[in-house]
Structures are given as structure tokens and as C-alpha cells.
Amino acid sequence: MTELPRIISVDDHVIEPAHLFDSWLPRKHRDKGPKPLTAGIGELEYVGGKYRISMDPDGPPTDWWIYEDLQFPYKRNIAAVGFDRDEMTLEGITREQMRPGCWNPAERLKDMDLNHVEGSLCFPTFPRFCGQTFAEAHDKDVALACVRAYNDWMVEEWCGDSGGRLIPLCLIPLWDVDLAVAEIRRNAARGVRAVTFSELPTHLGLPSIHTGYWDPFFAVCEETGTVVNMHIGSSSQMPAASPDAPPAVQASLSFNNAMASMMDFLFSGVLVKFPQLKLAYSEGQMGWVPYALERADDVWAEHRAWGGVRDLIPEPPSTYYRRQIYCCFFRDKHGVASLDAVGRDNATFETDYPHVDSTFPHTRQVALDHVQGLDDETVYKLMRGNAIRMLDLDLDRTPAEYRARTVAGH
């Protein structure tokens, strides 16, 4: 390998600018829509796996969103780039204190250039990973307008002038599958090929994927080529441990939600019914995938009669994983060592900018450390080729095409 290909990161994050809803929400809804505010933050409490946060006029200045009865602060760990490791805390932060690439698209592109990244798919922050903030709102007319406003901002402002380098990732109104279908169609018509969804919707009080309720959503995603992206924590619940365990325990177990969700899909029949549907697990890493597939196939082979899937899943579950599911990684040498079992066509790469886990500005070095010894074609797939195929990006599909484009100066 002479040079690491420029990376397509399938999991980054955006801090929403203060003007988002004033600019993009219809005027009739602005009084009830989210409002930006800078105010002091109180001391953070972590109790039973959940954070308790309050305003304190004497606390450090923090940028908040105020929406119905929600007070949502930005914390340093979600805008961590530029801070030393020991400064990446749960303290409040203002946009002025953040690296501008957190919320400014032009500055994000500069940081991507510094970080050997060509393309980036960004999850939301204030709406939470799959739009739970709006799903929990009382006034659903305003909430629907907020979902649409966020998507308009995402497509037209955040991604609009990036030359395709910032890749739009849109929300759906989770509380109504028919509205969700309409929003998928609206965004697909303007070229959007990615939507965010909950890894475990029942944790949000929504129907499970086994009920058939979400079939119209899966059908329209299949029809439009829209990838269903599920970020760890998109169920608003991290894996359980002792109620008094420190946050580090949750952080270490975060892949468990992705594993549980994947098992749900593999045995649901959804991937049988919708054979062109594409699922992507974000920030879940991939070292766990080989045993999960081995166990799923063993259960299917040995226990499918009493396990309730004899007539539902006609082939070994790993068949559907390899055909339709993508995982991603950024610090997972065990996963790379198990790449044949993970699937060389199923793994993608991420930088997690600007979160505390981000590899910025050392992503190139981190990636090289992981892929040393792999052949050029595999490195290309991991760093960009699989992401290009997954998201149907208008970019080169092979290493030869990439080299030709690079030599031509494009």
C-alpha cells in the first residue's frame, strides 16, 4: 500500500447552530419550537445510568436548547475535539468554546482535510441520535415541523455547499409510520440516501420490528435505496450494569445494543421480506460480530423449531448479514484480525468527530495502524469503497478508479 485512500466516515456528529430553527422552522411554529439559550449549568449527577442536569445561574456558561419542558445542554464530551484527553469532561460548553468545525460546515470541511477524510455522514445531537427529542414532544404538529426543518437544514445548509463531501442523514417522525414514509420520499426525491432509526424501538415505547408496524418504512427505504442507520444509544438506553457503576462501564458495553439489535433483525424476517434493504450499525465496532453470527447460525440450525423461526428464516442468519448489513469501526484491532468472519464487504470506517472517542486529528495514523498487512483492495473497501457502495455515492467504486481520479487532481 503506497498511500491510505481518503476516508469516507460513516459516523460523525454535528452540533446544531443556534439559528437552525429560527431560520428553518415555519414562522407559525417558531414560538413553540426549540429556542437557543446561554445560561449557567449546575453540577451534573449520574444516577442509575442516567444523567441529571439542571441550570444554575452561578454555574459555568453553557449553550442550551429549550423546547417544551426539555432543557438540553451541550457538554464538552460531545464537542471534545481540540481539548486534551483529561479535559474531555461532562461539563457544559458554549459554541464559542468549541472547535468551529463542530457546527460550521465550512470549518468542518477544513478539519476533514486535516484528518484525511473526504466524506462524512453526521448524526444529530439536540434531536438525539434518531430524533427521540421530537418523538417525546407533546405537540406533534410542531414536532413534525421540527423534523422537517432539521432535514431541510441538513440537506440545504449543512451539506448544501460541500460538493457532496458532507452526506445528508435525515430524521423521520418516529411516532407515525405513514408520516415517516412520506418524509423518506420527500428526502429521497432530493438525493438523500440515509435515515437514522432506533436500534431498539421498543425502548422508546414504539412497536417492535417483529410486529409488522414498520414494514411500510422498510419498504420505502428499500424502494428508494435509503440506508437505515442505527447509532448506539438510539434507544435512549445504554446496556445495563450495576446501577451505581461509573459511566466507563456503559462506555465499555456500548456495542451490546448493536448486537441485540442485529439479532432482532436477523430473526425478525424483515431482511427476508425486504432483500434489498440496507442496515448500518454506527459506532458499535465489529469485534463482536463473528461470534454473534456463529451463535445465530447455531441457534437457527439446532433450535429453529422451538425457537419460533423455522418457517420465518429460510437460510442461516449470517446469509442476511452478509447481504444487507454493514458495521463500522475506528478502534478495533480484534475486528480487523477477524475480518474474514466480519466480512470484507460489510465493514466501514468512522472518525466520530467531534465526540470524545474521535480519532481527530490522528485518524490517518490510527487507520494505518489497523490496516497494516492488508492488501490494497481490502484497505480501499474499509476506508471508503464499502461506504460508497452502501450510500450509493457518486464516487469511484474501485481502487483503480480512485487512483485515476487522484492523478487527475479531482
Side-chain angles (χ1 to χ4, degrees):
M1 181 175 60
T2 56
E3 178 57 51
L4 187 78
R6 290 185 78 193
I7 292 161
I8 307 294
S9 174
V10 299
D11 172 38
D12 295 316
H13 301 266
V14 60
I15 303 297
E16 296 79 17
H19 69 261
L20 192 160
F21 295 100
D22 279 344
S23 297
W24 293 95
L25 197 62
R27 190 174 300 276
K28 66 179 180 179
H29 293 305
R30 288 179 192 168
D31 286 346
K32 293 184 177 181
K35 298 286 191 300
L37 174 70
T38 303
I41 192 171
E43 191 169 328
L44 186 75
E45 295 181 285
Y46 183 74
V47 181
K50 294 185 179 295
Y51 297 110
R52 294 179 183 172
I53 309 169
S54 59
M55 287 187 180
D56 180 350
D58 298 322
T62 299
D63 278 346
W64 301 72
W65 287 102
I66 308 302
Y67 176 49
E68 295 191 341
D69 52 2
L70 174 66
Q71 297 176 343
F72 181 97
Y74 288 125
K75 303 186 295 296
R76 193 177 288 190
N77 67 318
I78 62 172
V81 291
F83 291 97
D84 291 332
R85 181 61 57 185
D86 288 337
E87 296 176 321
M88 296 179 182
T89 65
L90 295 173
E91 298 173 45
I93 192 172
T94 64
R95 291 179 186 83
E96 187 177 0
Q97 295 169 320
M98 299 175 191
R99 190 175 179 92
C102 294
W103 51 269
N104 181 301
E107 294 297 322
R108 176 64 67 93
L109 292 173
K110 294 178 184 178
D111 280 353
M112 289 163 59
D113 287 336
L114 287 173
N115 206 30
H116 201 67
V117 173
E118 181 174 6
S120 172
L121 185 77
C122 291
F123 282 83
T125 302
F126 162 64
R128 312 217 302 277
F129 292 143
C130 66
Q132 302 102 298
T133 293
F134 302 125
E136 294 168 1
H138 304 297
D139 189 327
K140 287 300 191 286
D141 289 337
V142 176
L144 177 60
C146 286
V147 168
R148 290 173 173 166
Y150 178 90
N151 290 341
D152 290 344
W153 165 81
M154 166 61 64
V155 174
E156 298 181 36
E157 183 176 327
W158 178 252
C159 300
D161 293 329
S162 71
R165 294 184 63 192
L166 294 171
I167 304 160
L169 175 64
C170 287
L171 306 175
I172 56 168
L174 288 164
W175 60 93
D176 188 312
V177 71
D178 293 329
L179 292 175
V181 167
E183 190 62 11
I184 292 291
R185 291 195 183 282
R186 186 175 81 94
N187 292 313
R190 50 183 173 174
V192 176
R193 293 296 178 265
V195 64
T196 179
F197 187 63
S198 176
E199 60 203 352
L200 297 166
T202 55
H203 288 181
L204 304 179
L206 299 169
S208 85
I209 63 169
H210 301 276
T211 63
Y213 174 83
W214 296 105
D215 282 4
F217 166 68
F218 296 135
V220 74
C221 287
E222 180 182 54
E223 174 193 335
T224 59
T226 300
V227 183
V228 178
N229 296 263
M230 294 170 285
H231 197 283
I232 55 168
S234 57
S235 57
S236 296
Q237 181 174 313
M238 295 301 280
S242 302
D244 54 349
V249 174
Q250 277 190 332
S252 299
L253 292 173
S254 59
F255 69 91
N256 276 6
N257 279 0
M259 182 165 58
S261 175
M262 191 178 80
M263 288 297 188
D264 229 12
F265 271 99
L266 290 179
F267 286 111
S268 68
V270 167
L271 302 180
V272 179
K273 189 181 298 184
F274 304 105
Q276 302 301 315
L277 179 68
K278 292 184 282 188
L279 308 180
Y281 284 101
S282 306
E283 205 173 326
Q285 308 296 346
M286 63 185 189
W288 52 271
V289 169
Y291 177 68
L293 294 178
E294 179 183 342
R295 179 60 182 164
D297 283 355
D298 282 348
V299 168
W300 178 85
E302 304 294 338
H303 308 294
R304 61 181 177 266
W306 70 265
V309 294
R310 181 183 57 195
D311 301 321
L312 185 64
I313 311 298
E315 298 180 71
S318 63
T319 305
Y320 308 103
Y321 165 83
R322 299 197 182 283
R323 187 177 73 188
Q324 296 175 251
I325 297 179
Y326 295 83
C327 56
C328 72
F329 74 102
F330 55 105
R331 286 193 184 94
D332 190 346
K333 290 187 177 181
H334 181 74
V336 174
S338 307
L339 197 55
D340 285 334
V342 170
R344 292 173 187 247
D345 293 323
N346 300 84
T348 59
F349 198 73
E350 61 166 292
T351 80
D352 200 31
Y353 182 109
H355 280 190
V356 67
D357 247 340
S358 178
T359 53
F360 176 89
H362 307 297
T363 296
R364 181 178 177 276
Q365 291 84 351
V366 171
L368 282 170
D369 189 39
H370 277 69
V371 302
Q372 58 183 326
L374 297 178
D375 63 89
D376 285 0
E377 183 179 359
T378 297
V379 172
Y380 181 85
K381 286 181 176 183
L382 298 180
M383 294 297 104
R384 57 186 289 118
N386 290 340
I388 290 168
R389 181 167 48 85
M390 178 181 87
L391 294 163
D392 194 25
L393 301 179
D394 187 19
L395 289 170
D396 44 281
R397 299 298 176 103
T398 69
E401 290 171 341
Y402 175 74
R403 284 194 293 270
R405 182 169 63 93
T406 303
V407 169
H410 296 300

